Amino acid sequence: MKVLITGGTGYIGSHTIIEMIETETFTPICIDSCERSTPETIDRMEKITGIRVPFYQENICNKNAFFRIFEEHKDIVGIIHFAAFKSVPESVEKPLEYYRNNLQSLENVLEACLKYNIPNLIFSSSCSIYGEVERLPVNENTPMGIPFCPYAHTKQIGEEMIRFFTQVNPQFNAVLLRYFNPVGAHSSGMNGELSPDKPNNLMPIITQVGIGKMEKLTVFGTDYNTRDGSCIRDYVHVSDIADAHVKAMQFLIEKRNSTNCEVFNLGSGNGISVLEMLHAFEEITGVKLNYKLGARRAGDVPAVYSDSTRAEKLLNWQCKRTLADMVGSAWEWEKRLGD
Ligand code: UD1
């Protein structure tokens, strides 16, 4: 069964393609503009799986180029839509770029579903849609909060676009996956996150400081109302997140969904503070980190972690990898990048 993966050379997209190939029931096709990734990821996925994925280096905002894929492959059964910008601080600085890129691309995906009669869609959403919450952990009934940044807002709008779309088009089925904080790398050590020169996310910053590519890291905020004053997040291994996409696509194809727009949290359920993560890295790798305590970062919420019972029950999904797997694999990947 052919499944189109948008953003397939990105961090979560590439790990998902690897997991999909390993099922031997899905044939992934990849589209990515490679604005924030590299076509070499296709080679890396081939080395790991032995399969070269059909690849289109195009931007899905370019409707003509995007729709050509469906003309060439008439038998696509589903789309997993990853392609989006995802940096919280960048979205605060460049809101219009985020609205344009993240929403125009989704509109094209939905139009393609309609025009080419693609019945199944999985959408990359984010725990950031919950905003600042009063009760933790959050589950899928926790209402969307006030968005803290344009990135989170594009995910809220994206979810609503899909909800309204599936309401009037009952022949389509969607799963919205709300990721918490994906980290780590593939167990082969051959695929992982390719961050921009100046990464924004905590784990690549930790590993870059660890290896000496970056001089030091700043803990953004130590005066939050949390156990040690730093922000609390729910880190989850990227291969566990990838596995959830395979399970969600199987769930839709086997028509196990009870509504045509289902939503699942994907987190480990463990809240870890920034300071705890730094110390876990130091303990697991034996590498000391050069860090300082600093001011809060715009767009951050104090704490968020997941109740993922729904995904466990309905998708039969669990986090199989531990914090040591997350940190250890991220570190192995960083060392390999340096080779
Ligand atoms: C946010 C979203 C998440 C999304 C991700 C995409 C929330 C709650 N989560 O993650 O859903 O998938 O963006 O990028 O909005 N930190 C430091 N120093 C640094 C870098 C980060 O202290 O140099 C801290 C941040 O303040 C934050 C934590 O580390 O508390 C994690 O940050 P990051 O990895 O950027 O992810 P989020 O912003 O939590």
Side-chain angles (χ1 to χ4, degrees):
M1 285 183 283
K2 286 187 188 169
V3 176
L4 183 68
I5 317 286
T6 76
T9 57
Y11 178 43
I12 308 177
S14 60
H15 284 86
T16 299
I17 288 181
I18 293 166
E19 297 296 319
M20 290 212 111
I21 290 173
E22 277 161 10
T23 64
E24 294 181 10
T25 45
F26 293 113
T27 303
I29 298 169
C30 175
I31 177 166
D32 203 306
S33 66
C34 294
E35 265 170 282
R36 294 179 178 205
S37 60
T38 158
E40 284 154 25
T41 302
I42 299 290
D43 304 330
R44 282 206 302 273
M45 294 191 284
E46 185 178 2
K47 274 202 191 116
I48 294 170
T49 63
I51 302 237
R52 191 158 188 92
V53 173
F55 174 50
Y56 296 82
Q57 189 169 346
E58 302 285 358
N59 191 323
I60 61 171
C61 290
N62 175 352
K63 211 196 282 185
N64 287 339
F66 181 39
F67 282 13
R68 224 173 289 133
I69 301 176
F70 300 95
E71 301 287 350
E72 277 178 36
H73 301 270
K74 301 275 187 202
D75 48 353
I76 291 174
V77 298
I79 302 178
I80 306 185
H81 176 44
F82 291 104
F85 291 161
K86 61 142 212 172
S87 162
V88 168
E90 185 188 47
S91 79
V92 174
E93 274 167 35
K94 301 173 182 169
L96 296 187
E97 285 187 27
Y98 271 68
Y99 287 107
R100 190 181 309 116
N101 186 65
N102 292 3
L103 299 179
Q104 199 181 355
S105 53
L106 176 59
E107 195 203 318
N108 286 351
V109 166
L110 294 177
E111 214 178 307
C113 286
L114 209 52
K115 185 164 180 203
Y116 297 99
N117 212 10
I118 316 283
N120 302 305
L121 172 69
I122 296 175
F123 175 64
S124 293
S125 188
S126 158
C127 67
S128 61
I129 60 114
Y130 293 116
E132 187 171 351
V133 286
E134 273 168 24
R135 284 183 53 187
L136 287 164
V138 290
N139 66 30
E140 295 81 356
N141 295 323
T142 304
M144 285 188 190
I146 294 168
F148 264 54
C149 63
Y151 161 76
H153 198 205
T154 65
K155 292 297 176 188
Q156 291 183 332
I157 299 170
E159 285 202 9
E160 295 302 345
M161 275 169 73
I162 296 171
R163 223 185 298 279
F164 283 119
F165 176 81
T166 49
Q167 263 171 30
V168 287
N169 296 291
Q171 71 276 34
F172 295 110
N173 296 289
V175 164
L176 316 176
L177 295 178
R178 294 175 178 163
Y179 317 145
F180 283 67
N181 287 59
V183 294
H186 192 259
S187 56
S188 64
M190 290 195 282
N191 191 41
E193 186 163 13
L194 284 175
S195 301
D197 289 343
K198 280 179 126 195
N200 293 305
N201 292 118
L202 182 64
M203 185 60 86
I205 293 176
I206 287 178
T207 57
Q208 290 202 9
V209 171
I211 211 152
K213 258 191 223 167
M214 285 175 72
E215 199 203 323
K216 104 164 15 159
L217 78 83
T218 305
V219 176
F220 293 140
T222 50
D223 58 348
Y224 287 103
N225 185 17
T226 59
R227 50 184 175 261
D228 61 17
S230 66
C231 289
I232 290 184
R233 294 288 182 272
D234 182 335
Y235 298 91
V236 47
H237 197 291
V238 66
S239 294
D240 281 329
I241 294 275
D243 179 44
H245 290 77
V246 177
K247 291 196 152 85
M249 191 50 86
Q250 281 162 339
F251 171 80
L252 286 181
I253 284 170
E254 290 163 13
K255 301 197 187 312
R256 285 187 280 126
N257 49 316
S258 41
T259 70
N260 69 337
C261 186
E262 298 271 4
V263 49
F264 297 100
N265 276 354
L266 298 180
S268 70
N270 298 321
I272 297 176
S273 76
V274 175
L275 286 166
E276 287 164 352
M277 188 53 117
L278 302 189
H279 298 141
F281 176 86
E282 292 184 326
E283 225 166 82
I284 290 162
T285 64
V287 175
K288 278 264 161 252
L289 289 171
N290 185 14
Y291 70 87
K292 63 170 189 183
L293 307 180
R296 294 180 178 198
R297 177 175 78 173
D300 272 336
V301 297
V304 67
Y305 55 92
S306 170
D307 173 347
S308 303
T309 314
R310 195 161 193 274
E312 280 165 28
K313 282 199 182 136
L314 298 179
L315 298 181
N316 193 22
W317 175 80
Q318 268 134 10
C319 286
K320 295 193 203 122
R321 286 115 180 141
T322 62
L323 181 62
D325 295 330
M326 298 179 211
V327 171
S329 61
W331 181 232
E332 287 309 311
W333 172 244
E334 185 65 67
K335 285 194 287 188
R336 179 177 277 248
L337 283 176
D339 285 347

